[in-house]
Amino acid sequence: MGFADFRTALVTGASSGIGAATVRRLCAEGLEVYAVARDEGRLAALSAETGCRACAVDVNDLGALTQLAGSAEFDVLVNNAGQSRRSNILDTAPDDVDTLVDVNLRAVLHLTRVIVPGMAKRDRGHVVNISSIAGHYAFGENATTFNSSVAYHATKAGIHSLSRQLRVDLFGTRVRVTEVSPGRVATGIFQNPDVGGGGNDRFVGAFETLQPEDIADAIAFAVGSPMRMNVAMLEVIPIFQVVGDLRFARRTEAAQQTEIKKRS
């Protein structure tokens, strides 16, 4: 199994949610896990619970990431850290665009750039990128999910593209790349006021929702698979969630909307 070939792992966004659940699962599999996040208090508690190495690092700090990458030979990299905002391209704030690109995409590219070459040189390793169904599907405002921003969708689509290209770049090595694309998961993102009013009760309480441990189990399945096998992509959604949104407007409705916009 894959776990028998690996000794160390690095997990970003590790202080809560999917990241913390992944740290717990990988530690339980016997790996030495470097848990990366900004919240020192939560990391300390997680370290006391699991024995992981707490690394209070901002993923936007390239110098700190580079130093961390050189502190160990990482066999498993889980790019999990991410943020979301609520808006569309018509009203997205400049700061939101910058934050989402920096955290969701730029940090992943840099961390991959400084860690994966070592995996390739050792001919051993596994990269797990956490994307989102938002990177594959467009959501309308009437969708029964949070109306995440176009920048969020774009960054997660970038993670999907990165995962596919990384497999090409690593062809001929025994370094595997897995993209895990979750649907709705009961994490702190739904309690973020920037995502939309109502918080956890609105987006999680009334629905059948995945738990962070479900995604950690999916990651463990991929990492623990036989070395002859690469789980390229896992789309993991709740049993009562379906993706895709096809809508049509009647000509009269479209004309009415146009007239309303002209008057406003």
Side-chain angles (χ1 to χ4, degrees):
M1 299 295 284
F3 283 115
D5 298 293
F6 300 141
R7 298 185 298 273
T8 59
L10 188 152
V11 180
T12 65
S15 60
S16 63
I18 294 172
T22 301
V23 169
R24 293 187 181 98
R25 182 59 192 271
L26 296 183
C27 283
E29 295 289 349
L31 274 65
E32 181 179 24
V33 181
Y34 289 65
V36 178
R38 293 178 298 178
D39 194 318
E40 295 185 21
R42 288 184 176 181
L43 285 179
L46 186 63
S47 179
E49 174 193 345
T50 65
C52 71
R53 288 179 175 262
C55 305
V57 173
D58 188 332
V59 293
N60 287 320
D61 187 339
L62 179 56
L65 285 184
T66 303
Q67 183 176 5
L68 178 61
S71 65
E73 292 186 348
F74 292 106
D75 299 313
V76 179
L77 169 62
V78 181
N79 285 310
N80 166 72
Q83 293 192 19
S84 183
R85 296 291 188 273
R86 184 178 185 271
S87 63
N88 60 48
I89 194 61
L90 303 180
D91 58 15
T92 297
D95 289 347
D96 287 348
V97 171
D98 292 341
T99 296
L100 294 177
V101 171
D102 286 346
V103 175
N104 296 1
L105 186 56
R106 192 191 312 277
V108 175
L109 288 166
H110 279 307
L111 201 50
T112 301
R113 179 182 62 81
V114 296
I115 287 181
V116 174
M119 293 182 177
K121 184 178 180 179
R122 296 188 299 275
D123 200 27
R124 182 185 73 247
H126 199 134
V127 180
V128 179
N129 292 327
I130 307 300
S131 62
S132 167
I133 59 171
H136 311 287
Y137 306 96
F139 300 155
E141 291 189 8
N142 66 335
T144 53
T145 182
F146 64 90
N147 179 26
S148 55
S149 74
V150 66
Y152 180 81
H153 284 249
T155 57
K156 291 304 183 179
I159 295 303
H160 172 62
S161 181
L162 166 65
S163 301
R164 297 183 68 173
Q165 185 61 47
L166 193 54
R167 282 190 286 273
V168 174
D169 293 348
L170 290 168
F171 177 72
T173 74
R174 292 182 176 84
V175 181
R176 303 184 294 186
V177 181
T178 298
E179 176 189 357
V180 179
S181 180
R184 179 180 292 150
V185 184
T187 65
I189 192 172
F190 292 103
Q191 298 170 340
N192 183 347
D194 291 326
V195 175
N200 189 70
D201 290 339
R202 177 183 176 188
F203 294 112
V204 174
F207 296 93
E208 186 79 62
T209 306
L210 297 174
Q211 298 300 311
E213 291 75 19
D214 298 327
I215 307 304
D217 286 343
I219 293 170
F221 168 73
V223 176
S225 296
M227 290 305 297
R228 64 180 178 273
M229 171 178 166
N230 184 80
V231 181
M233 180 177 174
L234 287 168
E235 186 175 277
V236 188
I237 60 175
I239 188 66
F240 291 135
Q241 182 177 27
V242 66
V243 291
D245 185 20
L246 180 63
R247 292 176 292 164
F248 291 90
R250 296 181 183 272
R251 289 190 179 92
T252 53
E253 293 173 350
Q256 288 172 355
Q257 292 298 321
T258 300
E259 185 63 27
I260 290 172
K261 290 180 181 179
K262 286 180 180 180
R263 293 175 181 176
S264 59

